[in-house]
Amino acid sequence: MIPKDNLILIKNIQIYSEDRFIENGYIIMKNKKIIEVGVLSDLENDQDYQIIEVPSGFIAVPGFIDVHIHGVNGADTMDATKEALDTMASALPKEGTTSFLATTITQERKEIEKALINAGEYMKTQADQGKAEVLGIHLEGPFVNAKRAGAQPVHHIIDPNVSFLKEWLALSNHSIKLVTLAPEQPNGLEMVRYLKENGIIASIGHSDATYEQVVEAIEAGANHVTHLFNQMKGLHHREPGVVGAAFLHDELKAEIIADGVHVRPEMVKLAYQQKQREGLILITDSMRAKCLKNGTYDLGGQEVTVKDGKAVLEDGTLAGSILKLGQAFKNILNYTGCSIEDAIQMASVNPAKQLNIYDRKGSIAKGKDADIVILDHNREIFMTICRGEVAFHKEDDIK
Ligand SMILES: [Zn+2]
């Protein structure tokens, strides 16, 4: 018999597995992986399982993957400390996030470099269970367009510069997986081509590109759009801009902040109708104030005030969000009327495929990392399992 603790069993649960919905199923995990998913009546009871009890009617969905998150619970990627990333990795399971890209912001070169070195180092030694996994870095800026800066500090914005990028890749131990840039800026297309050649996602964002400029960027290898609608040309009938290009080109996967504040619910629905479930990726773009009280916080050296569910700069510009990915999951269901399967596609499958890690994350299937979220009847997070270890349990949280 296999010794206890080695086999972990969740049973009597509805499972949204990779290839089917199971009404009353079970999942067996071992050594951080899912080793079996099936119908409960097929479970062989001859093993000594460690059982995770779940109330009836709850559902299991794959862990959410946030490809755009700056901070949470007082910590930010730009703090450039092990503690900051650890705080993020520990806090995120509470919202159903089991892996993420630590996201930087436009800053002085040395500040960005510190954050890159720190994240690269952190990834080498991060806990392999029980916390969200840092999958890499999302470099947001500084290669963006000052006209669409938003909360990116304008005076630190620079033109795309491939030699900087090469140095940064080395400093980060090659953990930069996604770069948000404005392809219409000088050397922008050169950078897109370089990213494409090196297997890094080139994302159009904080960009004033015209439709034609976006098409050129797609031809050069761009395949992603950073927070659709926010900080880009809107949809105009004589200038489709980044939004129109995103709607028309399936090559582009579009991030969306589905909080009802950065994008109002009707526009989330419009984007969903255009991009369909394959084309959208739910993100939070959240900042350190998430999970903290209303008040004043730092974002890239700027003061951000958080009140009434919004985070704004002094001049009223929307800064990062305080959205939780579990809430975005619920919101997309409400705003669009999509199914749970559709929401899973946007919260877990698409980001995993875009990052080229769908062989190990993004769905509940045999052989994949045991990254699982259990939702209650109201689709609130009840439990989050990160690589086979319970990282959040609502009942513990209440105590
Ligand atoms: Zn951001």
Side-chain angles (χ1 to χ4, degrees), residues 68 70 103-104 138 140 152 206 226-227 285 320:
H68 191 155
H70 298 274
T103 306
T104 59
H138 174 164
E140 188 178 24
Q152 305 283 319
H206 292 276
T226 298
H227 42 56
D285 194 15

Side-chain angles (χ1 to χ4, degrees), residues 298-319:
D298 166 78
L299 179 71
Q302 310 162 102
E303 212 172 74
V304 174
T305 303
V306 176
K307 213 183 134 190
D308 305 328
K310 285 184 201 177
V312 292
L313 299 182
E314 214 175 357
D315 64 2
T317 303
L318 274 179

Side-chain angles (χ1 to χ4, degrees), residues 134-152:
V134 178
L135 297 169
I137 297 162
H138 174 164
L139 185 77
E140 188 178 24
F143 311 122
V144 293
N145 191 327
K147 274 193 214 155
R148 300 286 177 179
Q152 305 283 319

Side-chain angles (χ1 to χ4, degrees), residues 204 207-211 214 225 228 232-233 240-247:
I204 302 165
S207 159
D208 202 46
T210 60
Y211 179 79
V214 176
V225 171
L228 184 72
M232 59 186 55
K233 268 196 212 303
V242 181
V243 173
F247 282 177

